[in-house]
Amino acid sequence: MSDDLLRDLTEDQRAAVTYGDGPLLILAGAGSGKTRVITRRVAHLLRSGVRGGSILAITFTNKAAGEMRKRIDELVPGNRLWICTFHSLGARLLRMYADRLEIDRNFTIYDVDDRNKLVKEALDATGMDNAKFTPDRLSGAISKAKNQLLTPKQYEQQAHDYFSQTVAKVYYGYEKRLRAANGMDFDDLLYLPALALRHNEELRAELDARFHYVLIDEYQDTNLAQYEIARRLSLNHPNLCVVGDPDQSIYKWRGSDIKNILDFERDFPNAKVITLQQNYRSTKAILRAASAVIDHNKHRKKKTLVTDNPAGDAVRVLSFNTGLDEAEGVVMRIKDAVKAGNHRFRDAAIFVRINALTRTLESAFVKHGVPFQIVRGLAFYERKETRDVLAYLRLLVNPNDTVSFLRAVNEPARGIGKTSLERLIAHAERHETSLLQAAANVARIPEIKGKAATGLVNFYRLLAELRAQLELPPQELIRLVLDKSGYRKMLADSKDDEDADRLANIEELITAAKQFHDEDESRTLADFLEQISLASDVDGWDEAADAVNVMTLHAAKGLEFPVVYLLAVEQGLLPHERSLAKDEDIEEERRLCFVGMTRAMRELTLCHARLRDFRGQALYQVPSMFLDELPEEARREDADPGRNFARSAIDEWRTKAGYTGANAVPAPLPTKRDPAVHGEYKEGAMVQHDEYGIGQITNISGHGALRRMKVRFATAGEKTFVADKVTMKVVSRKT
């Protein structure tokens, strides 16, 4: 049966594809052909007589979902199965079952900026001191609460410190504003379906009966809400197939829990486990290096990646004097290799831990005339002119959208000042109506008059006229918005050269909408807006462009390139400084490094600099602890042998300060005596803390940046600190 599906598969891959009913865990090592296995398994189910409508396949990016659909359609055309991301699944379920869930299916999906605006409003409404907490920090806490499936009331019940109590109050107000605007934030697309499946047994059973087979890719990156959705859809028909690799779990910062995959056999005691260890991507040298690094992690399911690929060149470690030298050196190496005919520009990728590190690269690319693309798929939709037009479109679909109203109402200017808008908002809140409806009834607001009143009425009439055309294809609606709103004329008449570029960007938005509609003529404006809201960084990547690819390590997940450079492999950057206090966080950073290394097919180079301009100051850097974990065969080269600047003095300071080896972090030269650096924190020493008062050090463990100490205070009990992150005065020392 289905011989063409199995012919080119290994024995383990065949076992995964043909496995029958019951839970299945596929531990797929890096480059082991997991996408092939998933698509063949779905095709095998379809050819075995399983209806397409009863199969649900979930992955993590639109790009991956599109690739999976394309492959399955080639194997079994007209299959009608659901292939989507978790978030698009959530959005689809919320719209399908809107009536039962008592929500309006025309909701707007708010991005981070929109969410932060509502959070700020909610914070201001509490009357609390908002100087200590930024909207971004509060938004992050609310996001974490939703990923843990905590309602505002549940979060309030477990809020025991000032920050969490502040979050609890803001959470209530934020949710009230979000629902009044008929908005959903990104987390709601998981949070609300998960809660519905948990508490609405009728709906859960209905969906469980609909989807007899559920397949989930990248299972190691699921959070509690995603886990809940997967489990609840697989109770009556436990044909849950999950594919993943604990060694590539890299999203703890956004709520993912590696235990979901590590404990799969606990959740499903009868689960079949199949491990894919054959790597088809990388050379033997690259796999040896990556395996040597990841073997230092304790929380993993041990496996040994093997390959029939050539041995390949040894992994190279390049040491540069400065971050600028690093950028220039890497760009020139790529340029020279392309000139020599070794590879094309698009074969090369440069990975960084954080986006801020791309600035020096951009300058080097431009200076040397090397084509490049920075993979940030959302950048186009974050431009002001794009967001302005999208605000109009969102308001057409959802007239209650407060954030979109406030953005669109004065673009172009209509003479509506800040005071008039504040009065409009107050009126809308008093009468529990939308801002758009309040604008229609502005005659009932005597405080708003003259040009502002006229502008608001005209804006309402414009939206009413445009809403009558909602059935038009999205590209036609965008053209109408541009023409009737005056936005196109505003840009065309401008004397500012940049406005010509902005107009060109708007035309590109029309093109994107047309391409979206041409793929499926049943798609509406609401579908187009949802697709934009759910886009990820990689969705904007042009694979065909002959340009060097620059992206973060997180964005690189799932991709592969013949030539890979990892930049700034330095303590405090990779691993990131926030991870240094906890072993589990360092393990995640090591997994991130492993992901970057295993994207490489033929050549892998890890780079570090001795001095780097970062956050407005020049910092002396220390090579990453992960470089010390490489096998001895890795080639280490000084990329700037002729430019040694007073390195001995720097090395001497590092040694004295404890910034050496695995315990090192980037730091400026010290300007004052620091007890954490000079070793004056001793067990038994009495110290004074600004908040907790006098205490005694009871225990010290670790070294350098990982050095931690416990201090017992008379009034606050025992507290644990990272030694080089806390400032306390040593008032006496036990002898």
Side-chain angles (χ1 to χ4, degrees), residues 92-149:
R92 189 170 180 178
L93 293 178
L94 290 175
R95 296 194 199 279
M96 283 181 62
Y97 297 98
D99 293 341
R100 280 204 249 176
L101 299 175
E102 299 181 345
I103 60 176
D104 184 336
R105 62 173 43 85
N106 293 317
F107 56 80
T108 298
I109 301 173
Y110 280 176
D111 62 18
V112 173
D113 287 342
D114 297 333
R115 181 180 70 187
N116 286 350
K117 289 175 184 175
L118 291 186
V119 166
K120 186 178 186 308
E121 288 180 17
L123 175 61
D124 291 343
T126 65
M128 301 176 70
D129 178 14
N130 61 10
K132 294 182 178 179
F133 308 125
T134 64
D136 192 56
R137 186 181 175 194
L138 294 168
S139 290
I142 293 172
S143 175
K144 185 176 180 180
K146 289 188 175 184
N147 285 329
Q148 294 173 342
L149 301 182

Side-chain angles (χ1 to χ4, degrees), residues 217 362 487:
D217 191 13
E362 291 185 59
Y487 201 93

Side-chain angles (χ1 to χ4, degrees), residues 528-548:
F528 178 61
L529 293 174
E530 182 170 302
Q531 183 247 359
I532 291 172
S533 298
L534 300 179
S536 67
D537 281 351
V538 181
D539 292 332
W541 174 44
D542 184 357
E543 296 179 65
D546 190 22
V548 180

Side-chain angles (χ1 to χ4, degrees), residues 108-122 135-136 139 142 174 177-178 181 183-186 381-384 386-388 390-392 394-395 398 401-408 529 532-533:
T108 298
I109 301 173
Y110 280 176
D111 62 18
V112 173
D113 287 342
D114 297 333
R115 181 180 70 187
N116 286 350
K117 289 175 184 175
L118 291 186
V119 166
K120 186 178 186 308
E121 288 180 17
D136 192 56
S139 290
I142 293 172
Y174 168 72
R177 283 166 171 75
L178 194 60
M184 299 282 176
D185 61 30
F186 208 54
Y381 296 106
E382 291 172 353
R383 293 169 177 153
K384 177 187 181 302
T386 308
R387 292 179 70 88
D388 288 346
L390 290 176
Y392 274 97
R394 287 162 55 171
L395 200 52
N398 175 16
D401 188 344
T402 304
V403 174
S404 293
F405 177 95
L406 293 173
R407 182 171 195 105
L529 293 174
I532 291 172
S533 298

Side-chain angles (χ1 to χ4, degrees), residues 579-603:
S579 72
L580 296 175
K582 293 183 179 178
D583 292 342
E584 64 186 71
D585 292 342
I586 289 179
E587 289 209 355
E588 171 135 342
E589 292 290 302
R590 187 178 284 111
R591 292 193 293 268
L592 189 58
C593 184
F594 174 79
V595 165
M597 296 175 71
T598 54
R599 301 310 95 196
M601 301 167 70
R602 297 200 313 260
E603 298 177 25

Side-chain angles (χ1 to χ4, degrees), residues 225-243:
Q226 291 161 332
Y227 169 84
E228 189 78 2
I229 292 170
R231 287 284 282 129
R232 299 285 169 175
L233 291 178
S234 308
L235 295 181
N236 305 110
H237 300 88
N239 302 317
L240 175 62
C241 169
V242 302
V243 186

Side-chain angles (χ1 to χ4, degrees), residues 362-607:
E362 291 185 59
S363 300
F365 281 125
V366 172
K367 176 180 176 180
H368 296 289
V370 173
F372 70 99
Q373 59 172 330
I374 296 181
V375 181
R376 293 181 192 147
L378 305 181
F380 173 77
Y381 296 106
E382 291 172 353
R383 293 169 177 153
K384 177 187 181 302
E385 61 274 14
T386 308
R387 292 179 70 88
D388 288 346
V389 176
L390 290 176
Y392 274 97
L393 302 177
R394 287 162 55 171
L395 200 52
L396 291 180
V397 174
N398 175 16
N400 293 323
D401 188 344
T402 304
V403 174
S404 293
F405 177 95
L406 293 173
R407 182 171 195 105
V409 71
N410 262 330
E411 292 290 348
R414 295 184 173 86
I416 307 166
K418 180 181 177 182
T419 301
S420 294
L421 284 176
E422 289 173 349
R423 290 168 176 167
L424 186 77
I425 293 169
H427 175 87
E429 289 179 349
R430 279 197 307 272
H431 294 83
E432 296 185 345
T433 187
S434 70
L435 292 179
L436 192 60
Q437 191 57 49
N441 300 323
V442 71
R444 301 178 185 175
I445 312 174
E447 301 93 341
I448 303 176
K449 48 190 142 184
K451 193 173 183 179
T454 302
L456 286 168
V457 169
N458 288 342
F459 183 68
Y460 169 79
R461 289 172 179 166
L462 168 66
L463 268 293
E465 181 182 353
L466 291 170
R467 277 182 59 80
Q469 307 294 324
L470 262 178
E471 298 305 315
L472 287 174
Q475 67 270 23
E476 298 302 327
L477 268 169
I478 297 174
R479 287 194 181 98
L480 273 179
V481 166
L482 290 173
D483 292 338
K484 292 188 174 296
S485 68
Y487 201 93
R488 186 196 297 277
K489 186 176 187 303
M490 174 186 72
L491 294 178
D493 292 348
S494 173
K495 304 300 182 185
D496 187 341
D497 290 340
E498 291 186 7
D499 280 340
D501 293 334
R502 294 186 178 103
L503 185 56
N505 290 336
I506 296 301
E507 299 294 348
E508 185 61 29
L509 182 65
I510 297 174
T511 301
K514 185 177 186 304
Q515 290 173 346
F516 178 78
H517 183 257
D518 287 349
E519 290 174 6
D520 182 348
E521 293 189 355
S522 68
R523 289 172 168 175
T524 65
L525 176 62
D527 297 326
F528 178 61
L529 293 174
E530 182 170 302
Q531 183 247 359
I532 291 172
S533 298
L534 300 179
S536 67
D537 281 351
V538 181
D539 292 332
W541 174 44
D542 184 357
E543 296 179 65
D546 190 22
V548 180
N549 303 281
V550 181
M551 64 190 75
T552 65
L553 285 161
H554 285 96
K557 179 77 175 296
L559 306 179
E560 62 183 24
F561 301 92
V563 178
V564 166
Y565 287 86
L566 267 66
L567 265 57
V569 187
E570 297 152 11
Q571 206 72 356
L573 287 173
L574 183 66
H576 195 279
E577 62 183 353
R578 288 195 302 266
S579 72
L580 296 175
K582 293 183 179 178
D583 292 342
E584 64 186 71
D585 292 342
I586 289 179
E587 289 209 355
E588 171 135 342
E589 292 290 302
R590 187 178 284 111
R591 292 193 293 268
L592 189 58
C593 184
F594 174 79
V595 165
M597 296 175 71
T598 54
R599 301 310 95 196
M601 301 167 70
R602 297 200 313 260
E603 298 177 25
L604 173 62
T605 304
L606 291 79
C607 307

